Amino acid sequence: MEPPTAGAGAASPPAPTTLRRNPPRSARPPPTPLTKQQPSSLSRLLDEEAAAAPSASATMDRRLKVFLRIRPLPPPSPLRKSKAPKPKQPPNVCLVANGANSVALTVPNSKLLDPKRARTEVFDGFSAIFSPDSSQHDVFSKVMNPLVDEFLGGKSALLVAMGPTGSGKTHTVFGSPRNPGLLPLTLQHIFSATDQSSKGICQSQRSFCFSMFEILSEGKGERILDLLSDATDIVFQQSTIKGLKEVFIENFADAKRLVLSGMLKRSTAATNANSNRSQCIITIRAIHKNTDVESEKSLNNAVLTIADLAGAEREKKTGNQGTRLLESNFINNTSMVFGLCLRSLLEHQKNKKKPLEKHFKNSMLTRYLKDYLEGRKKMTLILNVKPGDDDYLDSSFLLRQASPYMKIKYTNLENFSEMVSQKRSNVSLICQENIKKRKVHKNEVVAVAGKNAIDKDASIKVSEQDESHDKILDSELRRVSRNEEIMTKFARALWTVLKQYKQKLLESENAAESTKKLLRCKDIKIMELEKKLMALSCSCKKFPTVEDTSVEQSHDVSSGQVAESSVSLSSQTNLGSSDSALNDFHSKRANLSPQFIGASKGSPIEQSEEERDELHIIAVEEIEHNVDITGVEHRSTPSCSQQVNSEALDVSSSHSSLQLQGMAGSRRRALGGERREFFFRAMEGALQQDPQVLSAQSERFEPTVEKTIVEYGCIQPPQLVDDHGGMYPRGLNGKSCPTKAPIAPIKDSQSERPTDKTEDLPTSNPCNRKNTRRRLRPVSAMMLKEFTAPDIFLDTRKEETVKLSSDAIGRSDKLIRLLKAHPPRGRA
Ligand SMILES: Nc1ncnc2c1ncn2[C@@H]1O[C@H](COP(=O)(O)OP(=O)(O)OP(=O)(O)O)[C@@H](O)[C@H]1O
């Protein structure tokens, strides 16, 4: 074993330095320089105590014993042996035994910031230190022998093996068949001792119960596994394990077999460290069969427990993941809780005002070992460490953590169980006394009444015998009654609070119920509405079918419209009547119109009056807009009719078709939808053939115009329902003409007065935009107005207009006459 680098004997060792990046408040004392080799205060104290008085050993016995075992460095791997050249220097060691009770821990060079400034810490005060070459028997004789003796003497004891993973805990506790550990040696010792005692004293017969179980992690929790049976229903209840198998062992061979079978069942995992994954606990309970009942009782309480804790792991080193990581968390957590319990016990012992924290509740192991961790039963620790440089951090952590535990004291251990039983008996005695006292009081009353002489005598006897005792009982009674009162009040308060909570809960439940009901109603309503909507949409889908009446009407309307448009042409002489041609035209129209009519018929079902008006207004606006675009001159159309001739008719037809095309285009832009699209396309198609056909047809229509007027009884054609339910008069080719559509705009008027367009707009248009928006006038009325309206004369700025107006007056006279000749029949 190589001595520490800063060990004794160095000629001029570098001054030890303390590297502290984050110094704690209660800074540790600087590490003891090894050059001085002075024993620490604790070891000095222990030595002094040992030397001073024969009772010193007893004092030392009262302290928590902490042993340290340094395991040998692992041998080089066989691969390395055969192939790699032998290392010149032995592997560096950071931990060496510095004396009987102390070790020196040197920071390895690899961990030093400045290699020149070596640093060594000395940890002393250990009960014993076992160097790597110490045998299992050495360890047993110093660690376990005293505990076994105490156990056989009827006292419980616990040995806990602590340390990082792979430090030799399992080796220390179980050992191997060739090199048995503490447990086999203990069992051997127990049975050999029993044999000797049975040989010597035949009065007592001892037998032992053996149990072995492990606590391991299960997900994020813990569970117990019995290593001697396959029982699964093991429950941990108040420091005892229910369902745990205890096997009677009568000889060492049986015990050895049990230990082996238990070890085979123990959970280990192939981690980097190939370590145990559980805390293994072995208990040996002595059962004494003695003639003396009292001694049997006390001896039967003794339990010897050996705990082989799972080694704390560093995540970085093991590289554990998933379940293994959870396991190592559990292991580290248990070690931490165990350490916290001991720390708390020490703090409590140092300062009685500090409460003993209940850290033991945080893990199953510490709950099981509660009595030991609260200082009521004796415990011994054996720390296992690895001395290699690589294990410096693990060793340092363990030594720093465990070295203060040596100061933990066990006082009044012997009396503890007695104290407990005494306390219990005292309480029961007090209760009995209370009952007695009540009886006595009762008897006193009875005695006063003179009813029962025996009771009277007894009460007098009691009162005379122990007055002081009565006083104590009185005070106790008062205390108990006060406690009772407090508890009753508390219970009442709790009851009322609970009542209130219950009421609130009921209220909130009711509210929730009513809200649910409301929601259900709403749902039903929504469903009904949805159904209605579906029905409506279905009916709408079915609706767009061709209606003969509509077609007929459209025929009529179109003829009426033609009549309207052809009013100005009535003076033409060469218009031949041709019903067949008209029928042709009608059939063409009929082919075009059904879609439109169907669509227009269908819409009013869906739309309200307001919506229809609104859409009507939009349509009118669009048409107006088109009218504006195609020819603002049309606003002066009243005069155009007078100049009608065959040429003008052609022009007007083409104008009309252009105008209607424009209108159709704008309508298409504005209104989406397949049906509308179809309608407009059809209309455009019809218009494309218009210029010639229309002129010919217009000529032919002339007599029909008269007829149609007679048929409808007025010039006003039947109104057409637009896609959106809006009503406006039909124009040429069934196109609605919401405005006072000019029938035959004259080319000349456009060329003559191009600059007057804007000026004429507000005044010359008798049917201004506002009016059109509000309501559509019947075509006849509009025409009459056009012909007679005074606003025609308003445009006096230009002589031409005046002249045309005067012509219009003449034309209106003609129209009036025409109307008089054919008075309207009245609308259907
Ligand atoms: N004192 C020793 N002498 C010889 N070999 C030892 C000694 N201590 C430990 N070993 C060996 O080191 C290896 C690891 O030891 P062991 O399994 O006891 O470690 P451990 O602390 O129980 O690990 P874990 O907590 O992970 O279970 C074993 O192969 C064991 O034989």
Side-chain angles (χ1 to χ4, degrees):
M1 178 61 56
E2 200 184 39
T5 47
S12 55
T17 51
T18 311
L19 293 171
R20 282 192 188 120
R21 282 175 205 152
N22 299 308
R25 271 185 196 172
S26 54
R28 288 169 180 279
T32 319
L34 287 177
T35 44
K36 290 174 186 173
Q37 288 289 320
Q38 281 180 355
S40 74
S41 55
L42 186 67
S43 56
R44 251 202 326 269
L45 185 76
L46 295 172
D47 292 342
E48 279 166 15
E49 275 176 350
S55 61
S57 59
T59 318
M60 280 179 73
D61 280 354
R62 284 205 294 269
R63 289 186 187 276
L64 170 67
K65 282 184 182 174
V66 181
F67 295 92
L68 183 75
R69 187 176 191 186
I70 305 165
R71 67 157 276 190
L73 283 168
S77 65
L79 187 78
R80 206 177 158 190
K81 247 184 190 176
S82 58
K83 288 183 181 175
K86 265 191 175 180
K88 285 172 191 171
Q89 287 179 343
N92 285 330
V93 171
C94 67
L95 187 77
V96 286
N98 197 29
N101 309 102
S102 68
V103 282
L105 181 73
T106 312
V107 184
N109 283 339
S110 59
K111 300 251 179 328
L112 272 177
L113 287 175
D114 183 4
K116 286 178 188 171
R117 306 179 79 183
R119 190 183 150 203
T120 303
E121 276 180 281
V122 173
F123 296 91
D124 54 6
F126 291 101
S127 302
I129 287 172
F130 302 103
S131 59
D133 52 355
S134 37
S135 69
Q136 299 276 50
H137 281 279
D138 292 342
V139 179
F140 175 78
S141 60
K142 283 199 175 172
V143 177
M144 210 62 206
N145 225 351
L147 288 177
V148 174
D149 288 345
E150 278 190 19
F151 164 65
L152 291 174
K155 284 177 187 169
S156 295
L158 167 71
L159 174 78
V160 180
M162 287 174 74
T165 184
S167 58
K169 297 182 294 295
T170 310
H171 176 80
T172 304
V173 173
F174 293 97
S176 59
R178 279 188 186 178
N179 200 4
L182 296 181
L183 178 63
L185 292 174
T186 303
L187 287 166
Q188 203 177 5
H189 182 76
I190 286 170
F191 284 107
S192 63
T194 312
D195 288 347
Q196 279 173 12
S197 67
S198 61
K199 275 174 199 167
I201 313 155
C202 296
Q203 282 176 348
S204 72
Q205 283 183 340
R206 281 188 293 199
S207 60
F208 299 94
C209 275
F210 183 82
S211 70
M212 192 171 170
F213 65 93
E214 64 177 356
I215 300 170
L216 60 157
S217 77
E218 191 179 46
K220 286 179 181 173
E222 295 172 290
R223 78 182 173 102
I224 300 170
L225 185 74
D226 192 348
L227 296 174
L228 299 184
S229 80
D230 297 324
T232 49
D233 53 343
I234 302 175
V235 195
F236 187 80
Q237 272 182 359
Q238 293 176 353
S239 307
T240 53
I241 298 164
K242 285 189 177 173
L244 183 70
K245 190 178 178 183
E246 275 195 327
V247 182
F248 274 102
I249 42 171
E250 288 172 352
N251 53 52
F252 176 60
D254 289 351
K256 218 176 162 184
R257 223 178 300 120
L258 279 173
V259 172
L260 271 174
S261 70
M263 276 189 78
L264 286 173
K265 272 186 92 179
R266 197 178 171 191
S267 19
T268 50
T271 57
N272 285 355
N274 212 4
S275 62
N276 292 314
R277 316 303 295 162
S278 62
Q279 329 286 356
C280 183
I281 297 159
I282 305 114
T283 59
I284 305 162
R285 194 157 60 85
I287 297 164
H288 290 256
K289 289 183 178 170
N290 207 327
T291 45
D292 185 4
V293 180
E294 277 303 311
S295 65
E296 187 187 316
K297 234 184 186 179
S298 62
L299 288 170
N300 282 346
N301 285 330
V303 180
L304 178 66
T305 311
I306 300 171
D308 174 17
L309 303 190
E313 293 175 334
R314 280 178 190 275
E315 203 180 300
K316 251 187 190 175
K317 221 173 179 178
T318 55
N320 287 341
Q321 281 183 339
T323 318
R324 294 278 162 270
L325 188 65
L326 277 178
E327 279 174 1
S328 72
N329 283 347
F330 151 76
I331 292 163
N332 294 344
N333 183 49
T334 309
S335 307
M336 188 190 74
V337 173
F338 188 82
L340 278 174
C341 289
L342 289 176
R343 189 103 201 173
S344 174
L345 178 63
L346 180 66
E347 297 287 318
H348 176 68
Q349 284 183 354
K350 275 183 186 172
N351 183 4
K352 291 282 173 195
K353 282 177 189 173
K354 276 191 180 175
L356 188 59
E357 300 282 346
K358 308 253 180 211
H359 292 298
F360 68 87
K361 285 181 178 175
N362 296 324
S363 91
M364 216 177 249
L365 175 84
T366 47
R367 263 186 284 158
Y368 183 73
L369 304 175
K370 183 187 161 196
D371 283 349
Y372 298 96
L373 295 169
E374 289 192 338
R376 288 196 288 270
K377 288 180 184 174
K378 210 169 183 182
M379 174 170 60
T380 301
L381 294 179
I382 180 157
L383 310 178
N384 292 83
V385 283
K386 292 186 276 184
D389 268 359
D390 296 342
D391 307 301
Y392 167 78
L393 286 175
D394 287 338
S395 306
S396 168
F397 177 77
L398 180 71
L399 290 172
R400 279 164 192 246
Q401 183 196 14
S403 56
Y405 303 155
M406 298 166 208
K407 292 167 196 164
I408 291 172
K409 286 177 202 162
Y410 294 109
T411 47
N412 303 324
L413 277 176
E414 297 81 15
N415 301 330
F416 177 73
S417 56
E418 283 172 26
M419 272 170 66
V420 173
S421 60
Q422 188 66 39
K423 202 177 167 185
R424 278 181 193 150
S425 64
N426 283 345
V427 170
S428 62
L429 186 76
I430 287 164
C431 288
Q432 281 172 5
E433 290 289 345
N434 285 341
I435 294 160
K436 260 188 191 176
K437 202 184 169 189
R438 276 176 207 154
K439 273 184 184 173
V440 166
H441 276 290
K442 203 176 175 183
N443 293 338
E444 275 178 353
V445 173
V446 172
V448 169
K451 284 179 184 175
N452 198 329
I454 303 161
D455 285 346
K456 186 184 171 185
D457 290 339
S459 65
I460 291 160
K461 221 177 181 180
V462 168
S463 60
E464 281 174 358
Q465 272 177 3
D466 202 353
E467 276 180 16
S468 60
H469 191 65
D470 262 357
K471 275 177 191 173
I472 295 161
L473 285 174
D474 267 341
S475 65
E476 195 59 35
L477 192 71
R478 240 177 279 131
R479 194 180 62 80
V480 169
S481 60
R482 198 167 148 269
N483 282 349
E484 248 177 35
E485 203 179 329
I486 289 163
M487 287 311 288
T488 320
K489 277 180 183 172
F490 177 72
R492 266 184 212 149
L494 198 69
W495 183 248
T496 48
V497 169
L498 282 172
K499 260 186 181 176
Q500 282 170 2
Y501 268 108
K502 196 187 169 187
Q503 210 169 344
K504 277 180 186 173
L505 199 71
L506 276 170
E507 279 170 13
S508 55
E509 270 176 4
N510 287 339
E513 200 60 40
S514 60
T515 320
K516 268 185 197 169
K517 274 180 190 171
L518 249 166
L519 279 171
R520 245 178 269 141
C521 287
K522 293 276 175 199
D523 280 350
I524 290 161
K525 274 182 186 173
I526 287 164
M527 276 170 72
E528 279 171 4
L529 284 170
E530 273 177 357
K531 272 182 194 170
K532 279 180 187 174
L533 193 68
M534 286 284 283
L536 281 171
S537 64
C538 285
S539 64
C540 288
K541 276 176 192 169
K542 285 173 195 169
F543 205 77
T545 51
V546 179
E547 286 182 26
D548 291 336
T549 50
S550 316
V551 174
E552 278 170 29
Q553 199 183 10
S554 77
H555 289 180
D556 298 336
V557 169
S558 61
S559 56
Q561 199 64 33
V562 170
E564 184 201 349
S565 63
S566 307
V567 164
S568 59
L569 305 175
S570 60
S571 59
Q572 294 290 327
T573 52
N574 60 346
L575 296 175
S577 79
S578 172
D579 288 336
S580 61
L582 185 63
N583 285 337
D584 282 350
F585 180 71
H586 281 179
S587 66
K588 274 182 191 172
R589 296 276 304 124
N591 287 335
L592 297 172
S593 53
Q595 297 293 334
F596 172 68
I597 291 160
S600 58
K601 285 270 176 189
S603 3
I605 300 165
E606 296 172 9
Q607 289 170 334
S608 65
E609 281 295 317
E610 287 169 8
E611 283 172 341
R612 263 185 268 153
D613 285 345
E614 190 63 35
L615 287 161
H616 177 198
I617 288 159
I618 292 161
V620 167
E621 273 180 4
E622 284 166 11
I623 291 158
E624 274 185 355
H625 179 67
N626 281 317
V627 169
D628 291 346
I629 290 164
T630 50
V632 182
E633 294 81 13
H634 294 182
R635 283 173 178 77
S636 60
T637 46
S639 60
C640 298
S641 59
Q642 287 180 344
Q643 298 167 21
V644 170
N645 52 31
S646 61
E647 192 188 329
L649 183 64
D650 284 348
V651 172
S652 71
S653 301
S654 65
H655 264 272
S656 304
S657 70
L658 277 169
Q659 181 193 359
L660 289 169
Q661 273 176 349
M663 287 160 75
S666 74
R667 290 263 320 147
R668 195 193 298 137
R669 279 196 300 279
L671 309 167
E674 214 177 82
R675 281 180 288 172
R676 288 175 214 131
E677 189 65 31
F678 179 79
F679 161 67
F680 288 118
R681 239 184 273 140
M683 204 167 70
E684 279 173 8
L687 286 169
Q688 275 169 9
Q689 54 176 297
D690 257 353
Q692 289 85 27
V693 175
L694 203 63
S695 60
Q697 283 172 349
S698 321
E699 286 169 10
R700 277 181 258 138
F701 291 162
E702 192 54 35
T704 325
V705 169
E706 300 283 329
K707 196 181 168 186
T708 319
I709 290 164
V710 171
E711 223 175 271
Y712 282 103
C714 63
I715 296 170
Q716 183 196 0
Q719 284 184 325
L720 181 71
V721 181
D722 76 342
D723 288 5
H724 305 283
M727 302 281 282
Y728 36 81
R730 282 178 188 277
L732 201 62
N733 287 340
K735 174 71 186 173
S736 60
C737 185
T739 54
K740 186 175 62 185
I743 298 157
I746 299 160
K747 267 185 190 174
D748 298 347
S749 67
Q750 280 181 11
S751 58
E752 276 169 24
R753 295 183 294 130
T755 49
D756 293 341
K757 284 176 190 174
T758 46
E759 287 171 8
D760 290 348
L761 264 172
T763 49
S764 64
N765 192 356
C767 178
N768 66 29
R769 202 166 281 186
K770 274 184 185 173
N771 287 341
T772 318
R773 272 184 193 165
R774 276 184 203 132
R775 205 167 130 217
L776 283 174
R777 291 184 187 123
V779 173
S780 59
M782 286 195 295
M783 284 176 74
L784 274 171
K785 199 183 173 190
E786 271 186 35
F787 286 117
T788 56
D791 58 349
I792 292 166
F793 298 102
L794 288 173
D795 194 3
T796 53
R797 283 175 293 177
K798 294 182 181 177
E799 286 176 10
E800 264 184 27
T801 319
V802 176
K803 192 186 169 187
L804 286 170
S805 303
S806 61
D807 289 342
I809 294 162
R811 202 178 178 292
S812 67
D813 288 338
K814 273 185 191 175
L815 190 66
I816 290 158
R817 254 182 276 129
L818 190 71
L819 284 168
K820 275 179 184 173
H822 303 280
R825 272 187 216 161
R827 296 175 75 173

